[in-house]
């Protein structure tokens, strides 16, 4: 530790992202989309004039927000954009959760949430999942300082339907409920239509997964005008120009190609369901998933050893070295050929 660090920095345990290997591997560890972005994205890259880069981008990202508003069926002033949903989430923590009441979240969920709590001195109250490894919506308290969860949940994959979310919002009315929909396009039901009924609902999303733009960094939030204004106040006190001109053009191009979007996500869903059946045939317990990954456990195999065995054979998955998840592997859904390779290797490792 450096003597120049502030006390807060010394206390931090940063989020650890999935490995980005330099060698060539079948990469099934970070929930990236196995298919390329929409063809219009490449066209936008070719046609973008470098002369645009000498000027600052639109601080309101108006064109991108308008495209998102059309896609989501909301008003433009109900949309906020940022550099990936991680940045949007960080701004939301500052805008809505920095007060004296605890923020409630599932004990097993996206592991960046506890990092934000430590960074912003937000008291965290972890709620256990139910017996089926689902987020227990009934466990959230109306008196908490807020609620946050991924839906579908990461890394478990289960998603609650819209009416279940509405039931939660009918109980929690005095604090913000943040629903992180990073994976909703792979079989979940979006809560976005509920923002008209519930002014305390904030829904976040990303272009990284179903839009195949993880390398670009684009995320968004949808909510009532008062919540979006809160995010804008924090953003403009931190970085007035978060979305660059090129990212905006690429994001719009991705949103305009609905046919490509539907084809890619349906391919992921089909491969996911096929892979689940095959893994169950090898003796794995596979949690039901509405995401682009599977969380799996083998009762007779050590998960850490399976992780190492797969990597030695050129396949990279995710093993979380935590007490709750040490016996599980999270497997991102790749192409059919990549998943065939995974199952073939596991057949040998599980003999």
């Amino acid at each position: 530790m450096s003597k120049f660090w502030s006390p807060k920095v010394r206390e931090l345990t940063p989020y650890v992202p999935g490995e980005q290997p330099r060698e060539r591997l079948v990469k099934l560890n970070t929930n990236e989309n196995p298919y390329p972005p929409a063809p219009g994205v490449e066209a936008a890259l070719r046609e973008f004039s470098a002369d645009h880069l000498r000027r600052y981008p639109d601080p309101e990202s108006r064109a991108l927000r308008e495209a998102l508003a059309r896609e989501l069926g909301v008003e433009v002033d109900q949309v906020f954009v940022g550099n990936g949903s991680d940045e949007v989430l960080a701004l939301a923590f500052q805008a809505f959760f920095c007060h004296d009441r605890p923020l409630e979240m599932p004990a097993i969920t996206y592991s960046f949430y506890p990092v934000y709590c430590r960074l912003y001195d937000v008291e965290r109250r972890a709620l256990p999942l139910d017996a089926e490894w689902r987020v227990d919506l009934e466990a959230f308290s109306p008196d908490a300082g807020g609620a946050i969860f991924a839906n579908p949940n990461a890394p478990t994959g289960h998603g609650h339907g819209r009416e279940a979310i509405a039931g939660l919002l009918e109980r929690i009315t005095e604090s913000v409920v943040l629903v992180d929909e990073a994976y909703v396009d792979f079989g979940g039901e979006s809560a976005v239509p509920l923002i008209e009924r519930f002014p305390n609902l904030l829904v976040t999303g990303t272009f990284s997964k179903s839009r195949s733009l993880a390398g670009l960094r684009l995320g968004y939030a949808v909510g009532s005008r008062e919540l979006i204004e809160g995010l804008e106040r924090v953003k403009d006190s931190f970085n007035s120009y978060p979305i660059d001109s090129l990212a905006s053009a690429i994001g719009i191009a991705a949103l305009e190609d609905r046919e490509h979007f539907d084809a890619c996500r349906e391919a992921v869903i089909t491969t996911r369901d096929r892979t689940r059946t095959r893994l169950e045939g090898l003796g794995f317990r596979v949690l039901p998933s509405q995401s682009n990954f599977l969380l799996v456990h083998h009762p007779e195999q050590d998960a850490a050893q399976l992780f190492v065995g797969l990597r030695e054979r050129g396949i990279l998955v995710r093993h979380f070295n935590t007490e709750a998840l040490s016996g599980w592997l999270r497997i991102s859904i790749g192409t059919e050929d990549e998943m065939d390779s995974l199952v073939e290797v596991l057949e040998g490792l599980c003999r």
Side-chain angles (χ1 to χ4, degrees), residues 222-257:
V222 189
S224 64
R225 179 58 201 157
E226 64 179 302
L227 294 187
I228 300 304
E229 185 178 0
L231 291 173
E232 291 170 346
R233 289 173 65 86
V234 177
K235 183 264 288 185
D236 289 337
S237 301
F238 174 71
N239 180 6
S240 296
Y241 301 99
I243 306 301
D244 63 74
S245 302
L246 179 56
S248 180
I250 292 173
I252 292 169
L255 288 168
E256 288 175 344
D257 195 335

Side-chain angles (χ1 to χ4, degrees), residues 47-101:
E47 296 165 6
F48 187 84
S49 172
D51 185 61
H52 292 321
L53 299 180
R54 66 186 179 85
R55 296 188 183 276
Y56 286 110
D58 175 11
E60 296 183 357
S61 302
R62 182 80 186 189
L64 177 59
R65 289 170 54 228
E66 287 176 344
L68 267 167
R70 288 192 297 270
E71 174 70 14
L72 299 172
V74 298
E75 299 298 322
V76 67
D77 65 359
Q78 296 173 313
V79 178
F80 178 88
V81 290
N83 282 299
S85 60
D86 288 337
E87 180 182 79
V88 176
L89 290 166
L91 298 176
F93 267 71
Q94 295 175 80
F96 310 121
F97 301 140
C98 290
H99 42 64
D100 57 1
R101 291 179 292 158

Side-chain angles (χ1 to χ4, degrees), residues 282-305:
L282 296 178
F284 283 91
R285 178 188 178 189
V286 185
L287 295 187
S289 177
Q290 294 168 281
S291 61
N292 68 337
F293 58 81
L294 296 169
L295 191 66
V296 308
H297 165 76
H298 199 293
E300 299 175 1
Q301 303 290 333
D302 181 87
Q305 291 182 4

Side-chain angles (χ1 to χ4, degrees), residues 4-322:
F4 301 113
W5 291 359
S6 68
K8 171 58 66 179
V9 173
R10 294 191 191 101
E11 297 170 1
L12 291 177
T13 303
Y15 172 79
V16 179
E19 179 185 357
Q20 296 290 342
R22 289 180 172 83
E23 67 267 47
R24 187 172 181 83
L25 298 172
V26 175
K27 191 171 180 299
L28 306 176
N29 69 322
T30 50
N31 298 342
E32 294 145 331
N33 198 309
Y35 303 108
V41 167
E42 189 169 347
L45 285 167
R46 288 196 308 267
E47 296 165 6
F48 187 84
S49 172
D51 185 61
H52 292 321
L53 299 180
R54 66 186 179 85
R55 296 188 183 276
Y56 286 110
D58 175 11
E60 296 183 357
S61 302
R62 182 80 186 189
L64 177 59
R65 289 170 54 228
E66 287 176 344
L68 267 167
R70 288 192 297 270
E71 174 70 14
L72 299 172
V74 298
E75 299 298 322
V76 67
D77 65 359
Q78 296 173 313
V79 178
F80 178 88
V81 290
N83 282 299
S85 60
D86 288 337
E87 180 182 79
V88 176
L89 290 166
L91 298 176
F93 267 71
Q94 295 175 80
F96 310 121
F97 301 140
C98 290
H99 42 64
D100 57 1
R101 291 179 292 158
L103 173 63
E104 294 187 340
M105 65 185 69
I108 299 174
T109 190
Y110 184 30
S111 53
F112 224 139
Y113 304 157
V115 174
Y116 292 137
C117 287
R118 291 190 293 270
L119 179 61
Y120 299 124
D121 290 321
V122 175
E123 182 184 352
R124 168 178 172 253
R125 183 182 294 160
L127 309 175
L129 300 183
D130 70 15
E132 300 300 320
W133 285 64
R134 299 172 300 198
V135 174
D136 185 358
L137 297 182
E138 294 300 320
F140 286 92
S141 169
D143 298 325
I148 183 171
F149 57 96
N151 192 58
N153 192 38
T156 55
H158 174 266
H160 285 286
R162 188 178 301 146
E163 285 309 306
I165 304 298
L168 174 68
L169 289 159
E170 287 168 355
R171 292 194 300 107
I172 300 178
T173 60
E174 300 303 313
S175 58
V176 171
V177 174
L178 195 159
V179 180
D180 180 352
E181 292 190 347
Y183 301 102
V184 74
D185 294 323
F186 299 106
E189 185 176 31
S190 178
V192 166
L194 298 176
I195 67 170
E196 297 300 332
R197 292 168 53 190
F198 301 102
N200 62 323
L201 170 64
L202 187 72
V203 179
T204 59
T206 179
F207 285 68
S208 297
K209 312 300 181 184
S210 56
R211 303 283 176 183
S212 303
L213 291 174
L216 186 69
R217 313 312 300 134
L218 271 180
Y220 59 90
V222 189
S224 64
R225 179 58 201 157
E226 64 179 302
L227 294 187
I228 300 304
E229 185 178 0
L231 291 173
E232 291 170 346
R233 289 173 65 86
V234 177
K235 183 264 288 185
D236 289 337
S237 301
F238 174 71
N239 180 6
S240 296
Y241 301 99
I243 306 301
D244 63 74
S245 302
L246 179 56
S248 180
I250 292 173
I252 292 169
L255 288 168
E256 288 175 344
D257 195 335
R258 184 77 195 191
E259 183 177 353
H260 180 84
F261 168 76
D262 286 337
C264 289
R265 70 190 185 107
E266 288 300 328
V268 170
I269 291 169
T270 299
T271 304
R272 179 195 69 204
D273 294 344
R274 175 174 174 263
T275 302
R276 177 186 179 183
T277 299
R278 298 179 72 190
L279 292 176
E280 288 174 338
L282 296 178
F284 283 91
R285 178 188 178 189
V286 185
L287 295 187
S289 177
Q290 294 168 281
S291 61
N292 68 337
F293 58 81
L294 296 169
L295 191 66
V296 308
H297 165 76
H298 199 293
E300 299 175 1
Q301 303 290 333
D302 181 87
Q305 291 182 4
L306 285 177
F307 168 80
V308 172
L310 284 165
R311 201 186 195 291
E312 289 174 344
R313 291 159 180 80
I315 299 175
L316 187 59
V317 298
R318 191 79 187 266
H319 179 243
F320 297 95
N321 191 21
T322 64

